[in-house]
Structures are given as structure tokens and as C-alpha cells.
Amino acid sequence: MDNLKEKTARGLLWGGFSGGITQVLGLVIGIFLARLLSPGDYGIVGVLAIFTALAGNLQSSGFSQGLINIKNPTPNDYNSVFWFNISMSAVLYAVLFFSAPLLAAFFHQPVLVGVSRLVFLSFFISSFGIVQNVYMMKNMMQREMAVCSVLALAVSGIVGVLLAWQGYAYWSLAWQQVIYCFVMTFSRYYYTDWRPTLHFDMTPVRRMFGFSVKILLTYVVTTLGQNMLTFFFGRLFPIHVVGNYSQANKWNTMAHATISSALGQVVQPVMISVDDEPGRELRVFRKMLRFTAFVSFPALFGLALVSREFILLLLGSKWEETIPLLRVLCVGGAFLPFYMLYQNMALSIRRSDLYLWCGVSQIVAQLAAILLLYRQGVFVIVCAYTVLNILWAVVWQWVAGKPIGLRWRDALADTMPFLLVAAATMTVTWVVTQWLTHLVLLLLARVVVAAALYFIVLKCSHAHILEESLQYLKHRRP
């Protein structure tokens, strides 16, 4: 048990380290690009996000999760999934390549023909490294995964900024995506010793099909839900409106995805390792639930608190319309890491059906909200979308908590204290700092005051998760 705790803690530590570094790099790169580019440039690439994400889902078809769910996969299992991914990606890229003129016509943007063909190349490149990523996750190589992520972001970010500086506009964002996928794939090969062979045996793929197809459908549904607003905004509103929303969603996603990524690297492997011990399974999951609440609520509520200073000071006044959207998105974004937790738990107990139906019901609700409210404008739609994100965290507990015996009162006891402390902390911070008018001072004051208050309240209330985290950081092995 101590070994499992150590592996989990190390995984979360390296996931958090990777997330922190990528946050800083992403912040710096994002600031440069936002100052060099216009909302329209972001809108051009933003409308393609849903197609790239869907293609990424289809290329792996859920077999990556199928591999993770096998306790001891063989080289033939890896090889089978590898060649399936490559084949699927080649077919999808060909379809999207020839569909580019249709996409350009749909969004009334002729430039999308060339841009989309370049952007879609990124998921084909990524297909060569999917199995390597699974191999690294199975072996809990979080340190190496962190290096790959940071290196890819740094190289692609530098290329993107240089191209934007040279006046390549939206092309700089497109090339940034392609370079990121290339460096990420290459670095995964550097750190893993598994290599594909020319032995084509699809038996493992067929064996995993029943489980994986549900994962595929769920990924597709989840992707549609996450990118639905950008898609509809691209069709219904001017391209600069899409750019403003994309910018707001980018920073919100960067914050909650950092937490979700750190969790996603360890939750499923850890839960699978204890799935034959029901009592222990519940204890492990509840500890992860508390840790998620401990980190997610202050991080996302804090970003909502400083959104005005952050946007105006770092990105410039041309992005002012992004501010209210970012505030609202961050409130809902605080609940999204819990999705990752429940989803991976459902997969670890081989209940991909729960994963599927929760996703399907959510996208139906989101689509209904968009159809009912689109005449009210972007802000109203984003508010409705945020409310649904919060409500669906409750749905996940209702549906996915039962199989491992997680009661409502226990889930609330694990999460609500951190939500209330974070909300109260941000409210007090806003009140005591609102008299400041200088943007730099206001930003720094709010960050420092909010962090100090949150820490003090948890320390004084003897929050066990805080004490455990501090002890691990203090005494962890080199």
C-alpha cells in the first residue's frame, strides 16, 4: 500500500510539475501570440477545433483506454493498436483533406481550405505516438511524460511566435499545432523502448472492440460538447466573436486541463491496481476526490477573480470582450476535473457504458440550451453552458458513484469544504482589494491575498489533504 501511495504521489507530483511548467510556458507564449494576432486570427483556427478533436477520437477509437485497462498487455497488443491507429488516421486525413472546401463554405471563410489541410495534419502525426503514450502511462513514467510535454510546448510556441512576428497571422497558430504534435511524438519514441513491428494481427483489437467502441462514442460525444459552442459561434456570429470566445476558453481550458491531465495520468492505472479490493478502492478514490477539490476550486475561482487584470494587462485592451466570458467559464471549469476523476473511475471498473450515457445526456442538454438561447447572444449561451457543466458534476456522482459505494454525503463532505473556502476566499479578496486601480498592483495583490487566505484557512482547520501534501513535498525521495 505504501508503494502504491508513493507511486500515486509521485505521479501527481510530476503531473503537477508538468502542468505548472506548461502553464508558465503557455502563459508566456499565449501573451506573445495574443499581442501579435487578432481575434479574427484565433477565430479562423478556432472553428477547426471540433474537427481536429473528433478526428483524434476516431484515430484511437478508444483502444488506448482498452490497452490501459489490460493489467499486463503484450507486445502484440501494443502492435495491433498501433497499426489500427495509423490506418484510421490516414483514412480520416484523406476524408478531411477533400472536405476542406465544404468547411470553408460552411463558415464563409475561403482561407480555411489551406489552413484546415495543414491543421488536420497534426492528428495524423499524433497517431504515431499514441501507443507510446499508453506505454508510458502503464509504466507510470510521469517524469518522462512531463519532459515530452514541456519540450513540445516550448519548441512549438517559439515557432508560433516567430511566425506571428513575421506576419503569418493565423498560419502561425496552424503551424504551432503541427510542430507541437511532431515534437511530442518524436520525444515519446526517445523515452520508450517499445517499437512497432510489421506483424499485422488485429486479434487484440477485435478482443477490445466491445469495451473500446463505447469509449469511442463517449469521446465523440464529449468532444462535441466541449467544442459545440465554437462550432455554432463560427456559423452564427462574426469570426472575431469566435476569436474572443476561443481566447477565453483557451485560458479556462489551460487551467482546468492542467489539473485533469495530472489526474488522468494516474487515476485509471491506480484504480485498476486496487479493483480487487472494494474497500480500498473507495478509500483511494475519495482521497483523489479531496485532492481534486483542494486544487481545482481555488485555481479556477482565482482565475475568475483576476480575469480583468490578467486580460487587460497581459493581452491588451483589444481582448476586453473576452473578460466576462472568461469569468463565467472559469466558474464552470472548476468542476470539470471531477469529470476526469469519475470518468477514469468508471473505466477502471469496466463500466464504459456509464461514461457513454453521461456524455450523451450532457450533449443533448447543451444542444437544447444553444437552440433555445442563441438569439440572446454569446454571453447568455456561455452562462447556460456553465450551469450545465456544474450540474453534470452532480450527475456523474449520481451515476458513477454507486458502483464503488460512494455515498452522496461522503462526496459532499470531500468536496464542499474546499468549494466554500475557495469561494469565500475569493470574495474577501475582491472586497479588500477593489480600491486598488493600478492593474499590476491589483493583480499581484489579489493573487497573494487569495493564496494566503486559502492556505491560512485550511491550515487553521487542520485540513488533512493539505498536511499530507506538505509532508510529502518535505520528505519525498529525490
Side-chain angles (χ1 to χ4, degrees):
M1 183 165 181
D2 289 339
N3 186 46
L4 177 63
K5 179 186 286 189
E6 179 71 15
K7 285 184 177 181
T8 305
R10 283 179 177 272
L12 290 172
L13 178 65
W14 276 107
F17 172 77
S18 173
I21 297 297
T22 54
Q23 280 275 35
V24 173
L25 280 174
L27 175 66
V28 174
I29 293 165
I31 290 171
F32 276 105
L33 288 173
R35 287 187 168 275
L36 291 168
L37 303 176
S38 69
D41 293 328
Y42 274 87
I44 291 293
V45 177
V47 297
L48 298 174
I50 190 169
F51 302 101
T52 305
L54 285 174
N57 297 153
L58 292 170
Q59 75 182 50
S60 64
S61 301
F63 291 104
S64 296
Q65 293 296 336
L67 274 177
I68 294 174
N69 243 37
I70 300 173
K71 282 195 174 183
N72 297 296
T74 66
N76 191 45
D77 293 329
Y78 285 115
N79 203 63
S80 179
V81 174
F82 175 86
W83 287 114
F84 179 87
N85 290 343
I86 299 299
S87 303
M88 181 65 72
S89 297
V91 172
L92 288 170
Y93 182 72
V95 171
L96 289 172
F97 182 92
F98 291 108
S99 300
L102 298 177
L103 297 179
F106 180 83
F107 292 112
H108 313 294
Q109 299 292 332
V111 297
L112 282 176
V113 175
V115 174
S116 64
R117 287 171 173 171
L118 176 61
V119 169
F120 295 151
L121 189 61
S122 61
F123 77 80
F124 178 67
I125 295 172
S126 295
S127 67
F128 288 84
I130 292 175
V131 170
Q132 271 69 22
N133 187 54
V134 173
Y135 182 90
M136 295 171 82
M137 290 181 67
K138 287 291 293 182
N139 292 277
M140 299 194 75
M141 299 169 63
Q142 273 72 31
R143 181 176 65 87
E144 291 79 5
M145 293 171 71
V147 173
C148 293
S149 179
V150 171
L151 180 63
L153 181 59
V155 174
S156 64
I158 292 171
V159 172
V161 170
L162 290 175
L163 290 175
W165 183 53
Q166 291 296 317
Y168 283 87
Y170 43 79
W171 287 103
S172 59
L173 297 174
W175 274 108
Q176 183 188 15
Q177 290 188 33
V178 173
I179 297 298
Y180 177 87
C181 293
F182 177 80
V183 175
M184 179 69 83
T185 300
F186 180 83
S187 57
R188 285 171 178 170
Y189 275 86
Y190 177 81
Y191 281 112
T192 57
D193 55 11
W194 179 85
R195 293 293 183 269
T197 68
L198 295 178
H199 177 65
F200 299 96
D201 179 10
M202 292 294 107
T203 303
V205 167
R206 289 194 294 270
R207 189 175 62 246
M208 289 183 266
F209 183 80
F211 175 84
S212 299
V213 72
K214 295 176 184 176
I215 303 300
L216 166 63
L217 293 174
T218 305
Y219 281 175
V220 168
V221 168
T222 302
T223 298
L224 288 173
Q226 292 173 344
N227 295 276
M228 189 184 296
L229 293 190
T230 306
F231 179 80
F232 278 99
F233 290 168
R235 176 67 178 177
L236 299 172
F237 301 105
I239 200 68
H240 77 274
V241 173
V242 183
N244 283 318
Y245 170 76
S246 296
Q247 188 70 254
N249 192 49
K250 169 190 171 182
W251 297 110
N252 170 55
T253 300
M254 187 182 296
H256 72 70
T258 298
I259 301 168
S260 297
S261 177
L263 290 167
Q265 293 176 17
V266 299
V267 175
Q268 195 179 353
V270 169
M271 293 299 291
I272 289 172
S273 69
V274 298
D275 64 358
D276 54 349
E277 305 174 54
R280 188 180 177 196
E281 183 181 51
L282 178 59
R283 291 194 301 273
V284 169
F285 184 79
R286 288 191 64 187
K287 180 166 288 190
M288 290 184 176
L289 195 64
R290 290 192 294 272
F291 180 81
T292 303
F294 165 64
V295 175
S296 184
F297 288 128
L300 274 297
F301 289 176
L303 182 55
L305 173 70
V306 301
S307 57
R308 176 178 173 273
E309 300 78 56
F310 173 80
I311 295 295
L312 294 180
L313 183 64
L314 300 180
L315 307 188
S317 58
K318 66 181 176 182
W319 294 103
E320 191 167 3
E321 294 179 28
T322 298
I323 296 171
L325 300 177
L326 179 57
R327 283 174 176 163
V328 175
L329 286 171
C330 285
V331 174
F335 294 82
L336 294 183
F338 294 99
Y339 288 31
M340 171 66 72
L341 202 59
Y342 281 104
Q343 288 165 358
N344 278 274
M345 184 270 290
L347 294 178
S348 71
I349 60 174
R350 297 164 182 84
R351 291 297 307 273
S352 54
D353 57 317
L354 298 178
Y355 195 162
L356 173 60
W357 291 113
C358 275
V360 169
S361 55
Q362 184 177 16
I363 196 172
V364 170
Q366 290 171 338
L367 183 59
I370 292 173
L371 294 176
L372 288 172
L373 299 172
Y374 76 93
R375 295 183 185 276
Q376 306 301 317
V378 171
F379 183 73
V380 174
I381 296 175
V382 170
C383 289
Y385 179 81
T386 295
V387 171
L388 287 173
N389 280 342
I390 296 172
L391 291 177
W392 242 258
V394 178
V395 173
W396 269 107
Q397 162 56 28
W398 177 55
V399 173
K402 291 181 181 179
I404 63 169
L406 180 60
R407 298 174 297 182
W408 278 96
R409 65 183 184 186
D410 292 330
L412 291 175
D414 290 335
T415 57
M416 287 302 294
F418 298 103
L419 185 154
L420 296 174
V421 171
T425 295
M426 303 310 155
T427 301
V428 171
T429 301
W430 182 81
V431 171
V432 301
T433 59
Q434 63 176 331
W435 58 273
L436 289 170
T437 56
H438 194 282
L439 288 177
V440 176
L441 292 178
L442 183 58
L443 177 64
L444 293 175
R446 285 183 167 173
V447 170
V448 172
V449 172
L453 284 176
Y454 187 71
F455 179 83
I456 290 171
V457 171
L458 292 186
K459 188 71 174 176
C460 292
S461 59
H462 305 289
H464 187 64
I465 196 71
L466 173 63
E467 298 298 334
E468 253 192 354
S469 300
L470 293 175
Q471 285 298 317
Y472 178 76
L473 291 174
K474 183 178 179 180
H475 300 295
R476 70 182 182 88
R477 299 172 190 170

